[in-house]
Amino acid sequence: MTKSQKWVSFLILSMTCGVIYQVAYIRFVFLGPTARALDVSSQDYANIISVFGIVAMVMYFFGGWFADRLSPKFLVVTALAVTGIADLYLGTVPGYWGILAAHVVMAVAGMGLYWSALVKAIGMLGDSSEQGRLFGFLEGVRGVTSTVVGFVGTAVVAASVAEAAGVLWLIRLYGILCFVYAALVWLFVKGDDRRLAGLGSSTVTLRQLWRAARNRYTWLIGGTVMLMYCFYTTLGYFSPLLEHRYGMAAALVGVIGVVRTYVFQFVAGPAGGVVVDKVTRSTPRFLRWMFAGCALIALSFLVLPRDSAFKWVALALMFALCLLVFASRGVYWAQVGEAGIHPDERGGVIGLASGIAYLPDAFLPTLSAWWIGDPSATPAVPEQGGGYTALFLFLLAVALLGLGLTTLTDRTRRRELAARAAPAGAEAAPLAA
């Protein structure tokens, strides 16, 4: 493979990452309009999203099995094509059960067929000294692609006479893009069988999972990521909050949704990594700062009056929260390396911790929709389940739990290092308060 073939392959593969998940996670930008476009209630749409989350969580465990047995290029092309079919089918508004089936298919394709195959496909483009740069640039290209596609989508919706009709055209457009990228991958992506063989197995065995279950860091890391992921999962519900409680224009809310979901992805992630490396020198310590900031913002939303006079304050708070959440997402899996987990056990720890970490996708959309009810209802109609007050109380509790868990992770690691140093005559350092 020539150098130009390598970077063309890398660029195309990275860009697919910014396309394949667009419809599955369209709620982060267009929550209410998507439910109306698909002709389902907000609660029914939330239930469908939760089923998607459950299937996606299960598929993460099977992705490695597929990637070990089939060509990564074939799997990526298949996943894109299947997702494109599901997107176009969804654009026909097939009713509740059809929408549910489409989301199940997207979860199987995106997490079962695509993700592990993409990781292998990217990994075989470079030797061991290039892996960090390859995956770092992967996230950057993914973020840029998602941002560009997101702004195009916002323009499509804004240009439509009816917002719901615009969302349907957008879903169809994303489906077509999936087919375009499937063709580009098939025609232009090259592989290196020698490097692919050197990457080893991606399958997580039952034995690895059993060993991971007995490792305390599996639960500490998985729990920490799960708590921060609660904030990420609920970010989509800030759009109806800004529009229907703080009076922001729907078109502006769409642009804000793209910035919130994609721009912070490639801005805050690298910034978080720099702060961990240069300032805190500890991921749990950094995450403790992030949880403290999230707790303060959740408390601020609890006391901030839901009135149009405070809409810019609400927007500033939401952007501050996005900065904290995406800075955390960029580094929280670095805890696996910092904890000194043996390489033979890392696959099991990451696999089981991922199952714990992404649990919010299985229940939080349904719960959040029940809390806030119909976001387009007038304020005179009482919000069911406690409304946004219940949501922010939940997030405040999550942030406080995250503070405790990151403190425990940090102290556990310090004790281990002190215990290892003691036999060599080193004096154990006092634990941080």
Side-chain angles (χ1 to χ4, degrees), residues 18 32 44 79 156 158 232 251 277 283 290 412 428:
D44 282 344
V156 169
Y232 175 74
D277 288 345
T283 301
M290 299 299 99
T412 299

Side-chain angles (χ1 to χ4, degrees), residues 394-414:
F394 169 79
L395 291 178
L396 177 60
V398 162
L400 295 176
L401 284 172
L403 273 170
L405 208 55
T406 49
T407 299
L408 180 59
T409 305
D410 190 33
R411 291 186 174 183
T412 299
R413 184 59 180 158
R414 284 168 176 257

